[in-house]
Amino acid sequence: MPHVDIDELKQGRKAFNKDEWLDILLRSIGMEPDEFTYREKWLLLTRMIPLVENNFNLCELGPRSTGKSHLYKEISPNSILISGGQTTVANLFYNMGRKTVGLVGLWDCVAFDEVAGIRFKDKDGIQIMKDYMASGSFARGKEEKVAAASMVFVGNINQSVDVLLKTSSLFDPFPPEMGTDTAFLDRLGKNLNQRDTIAVRRMVDGYLKLMYPNGEFTKEELEEIIQIALEMRRRVKEQLKKLGGMEFYDVNFSYIDMDDMSEHYVSVPEQGGGKLIPDGMCNPGQVYTVSRGKSGMLGVFRLESQMLPGNGKIERTGLGSDSKCKEAVNTAFNYLKANGNRISGSISTSTKDYIINYQDLQGIGMTDKLALPTLIALCSIALGKPVVSNLAVLGDITISGTMIKVDELANTLQVCLDSGAKKVLIPSTSFVDFASVPADLMSA
């Protein structure tokens, strides 16, 4: 509908209860509500917020052929879908030659179909988009322009959410210049610091406009909307925490009921279960370590070991041709050869062969901080004793036995916690960095 009589809409809303009205909204965009659960209905409703709320930024990533872009292309006359993702600053924001405002000044909503293909022909395109998404304005030439269009990013994921959470981030489908840019991604939904507050308020506003256009709702109905909005924003922050570390540490969103001053925390359902470091005792020779991979991201790595009769050789698999990783393994084995008897008289490096497999569990490139976890894995398999349950080994060791402290201790401990570790083995050289670790992370 190109025109809506708001007064008529407000009056008509009174004839329906909440569930009936939710179904009507879904049918208006071609969705059959009987086919969806109650939660799924609210998630589909979220697609409509950019059409009723100015400067609202939304991203939806999901399987193919699930109607993610249908609303913006076929249903609303006030939105435009950019297929393929390629555009220019002049087309999207402002054409300096013609002195005309681009799509953000002409439409209520600008949607990008298939985020993996987003490309700007102009090198400053992403930066201008970041400025606009944060403030609703952008500078071109000597002038600053203001526009109200919302931004929507639609894309496909080729793996399950569970696999994505373990191996990368939910923003993996974005092109690299956007998918790892925390400043850009933080604009999605728009830090409860200031940016978080703005994001949640806008989302609440959008849901209220859609569900209760007459402004009549109960405390319970408002609380339901606040919980959904906090969940949506926390989902963005959880992924930013993976990419940006302690800058985005505070993801424990809550709201306070002013009637009884009770505080209620909101979580994201997909964060539970499926931890990389499982509960329970591991097999002898199995060790988990957390450190920075070749890509520069912090992640979890697993070592699995075997011991066979032999003459003192070590074989390593999973490292490819990386010389630094191989050198770290050699450091651990040579240290064990020189100091095995001091650790335990039961360890033999002359009548046994050892095989260790290294696994990069999150696809971030193998770490070269492997000497200490390798040494512990070798001792574990040689003695036939597992390490303590839910343990992550941090730090490294030199050939002389000098302990090397953990880089970025706070960020590393956060990854340990998120990955399921309940205990960490930390070199004493890292104790000086404990002051940089938030108190609630230390007590987790």
Side-chain angles (χ1 to χ4, degrees):
M1 286 181 286
H3 175 71
V4 175
D5 186 326
I6 296 297
D7 290 332
E8 184 181 3
L9 180 70
K10 289 178 179 179
Q11 194 62 34
R13 171 66 179 89
K14 296 177 181 179
F16 302 92
N17 64 32
K18 180 183 71 173
D19 292 336
E20 291 169 342
W21 187 251
L22 180 56
D23 288 355
I24 287 172
L25 288 175
L26 292 182
R27 284 200 175 99
S28 75
I29 61 169
M31 298 287 182
E32 176 48 57
D34 292 344
E35 298 295 319
F36 301 103
T37 66
Y38 183 69
R39 175 175 169 79
E40 287 168 345
K41 291 178 184 180
W42 277 95
L43 294 175
L44 290 170
L45 185 70
T46 308
R47 292 177 178 174
M48 303 185 204
I49 296 180
L51 299 174
V52 300
E53 188 70 19
N54 290 340
N55 299 111
F56 183 83
N57 307 314
L58 177 71
C59 171
E60 182 177 357
L61 305 170
R64 287 173 170 78
S65 303
T66 50
K68 296 184 294 297
S69 60
H70 177 71
L71 169 62
Y72 311 110
K73 183 179 181 182
E74 304 292 349
I75 303 298
S76 174
N78 302 312
S79 67
I80 185 170
L81 182 70
I82 301 177
S83 298
Q86 187 155 335
T87 188
T88 63
V89 170
N91 179 55
L92 188 60
F93 294 106
Y94 189 77
N95 189 315
M96 295 182 67
R98 297 178 181 174
K99 307 231 180 280
T100 55
V101 176
L103 298 177
V104 296
L106 302 175
W107 301 88
D108 287 348
C109 175
V110 178
F112 290 85
D113 193 16
E114 190 43 70
V115 294
I118 293 179
R119 296 288 185 277
F120 276 94
K121 294 180 181 178
D122 321 73
K123 61 182 179 181
D124 58 347
I126 297 295
Q127 184 59 49
I128 293 174
M129 181 182 278
K130 284 196 295 188
D131 291 343
Y132 175 74
M133 290 170 68
S135 64
S137 63
F138 55 92
R140 293 297 283 159
K142 296 179 180 179
E143 298 181 64
E144 183 174 70
K145 302 294 180 182
V146 177
S150 294
M151 290 268 189
V152 175
F153 302 90
V154 174
N156 298 316
I157 56 175
N158 300 313
Q159 301 159 299
S160 69
V161 170
D162 189 47
V163 170
L164 268 182
L165 286 170
K166 287 183 179 182
T167 60
S168 56
S169 82
L170 293 180
F171 295 127
D172 196 51
F174 276 90
E177 61 269 27
M178 297 168 73
T180 56
D181 183 346
T182 55
F184 170 81
L185 297 173
D186 199 20
R187 269 69 171 177
L188 292 174
K190 286 276 191 101
N191 245 315
L192 282 279
N193 58 37
Q194 184 63 24
R195 192 167 283 158
D196 290 328
T197 304
I198 293 171
V200 172
R201 282 182 175 169
R202 286 188 176 176
M203 230 172 304
V204 170
D205 285 349
Y207 282 126
L208 289 175
K209 287 176 184 176
L210 289 164
M211 285 298 295
Y212 309 103
N214 56 351
E216 297 177 10
F217 48 84
T218 66
K219 174 186 170 183
E220 289 72 25
E221 289 167 339
L222 176 60
E223 187 173 26
E224 178 180 39
I225 285 175
I226 290 174
Q227 288 176 348
I228 296 171
L230 285 168
E231 178 197 325
M232 295 293 175
R233 177 57 189 170
R234 177 167 178 174
R235 183 167 289 111
V236 173
K237 292 298 285 285
E238 288 283 357
Q239 302 311 303
L240 289 173
K241 186 175 68 174
K242 282 188 173 185
L243 297 169
M246 296 311 294
E247 179 186 352
F248 302 100
Y249 166 73
D250 188 9
V251 297
N252 293 313
F253 287 3
S254 65
Y255 63 94
I256 295 174
D257 186 328
M258 299 303 289
D259 287 344
D260 58 12
M261 299 308 291
S262 59
E263 187 171 13
H264 304 267
Y265 285 88
V266 176
S267 62
V268 286
E270 68 272 12
Q271 289 299 118
K275 297 295 187 182
L276 290 170
I277 301 175
D279 287 333
M281 200 71 74
C282 295
N283 295 323
Q286 187 172 357
V287 169
Y288 290 88
T289 185
V290 173
S291 56
R292 198 166 291 284
K294 191 178 290 186
S295 67
M297 292 178 65
L298 283 166
V300 184
F301 304 87
R302 182 168 62 207
L303 287 67
E304 294 183 328
S305 317
Q306 290 290 330
M307 182 177 64
L308 306 167
N311 53 11
K313 292 185 297 185
I314 186 168
E315 181 181 339
R316 36 204 172 330
T317 61
L319 297 179
S321 58
D322 194 303
S323 58
K324 285 188 176 181
C325 295
K326 291 180 177 179
E327 186 179 328
V329 177
N330 290 339
T331 295
F333 195 54
N334 288 333
Y335 181 85
L336 188 64
K337 283 181 178 178
N339 299 279
N341 286 335
R342 292 168 55 197
I343 298 171
S344 172
S346 304
I347 295 177
S348 171
T349 54
S350 58
T351 62
K352 303 289 184 183
D353 286 347
Y354 297 89
I355 304 171
I356 302 185
N357 174 251
Y358 297 85
Q359 300 168 42
D360 171 9
L361 296 183
Q362 293 174 289
I364 60 172
M366 184 55 67
T367 181
D368 56 9
K369 301 289 191 293
L370 291 172
L372 183 58
T374 298
L375 177 62
I376 292 172
L378 287 170
C379 292
S380 174
I381 192 68
L383 296 170
K385 295 180 179 180
V387 299
V388 297
S389 60
N390 304 101
L391 177 73
V393 176
L394 309 181
D396 214 355
I397 191 171
T398 67
I399 188 66
S400 64
T402 301
M403 302 302 294
I404 301 173
K405 74 174 190 173
V406 183
D407 294 329
E408 298 183 63
L409 180 61
N411 287 335
T412 302
L413 289 175
Q414 182 64 57
V415 173
C416 291
L417 180 64
D418 293 343
S419 303
K422 297 177 181 176
K423 308 179 190 74
V424 288
L425 186 63
I426 303 176
S428 58
T429 48
S430 288
F431 290 175
V432 295
D433 294 331
F434 277 10
S436 69
V437 181
D440 50 346
L441 180 55
M442 287 289 286
S443 62

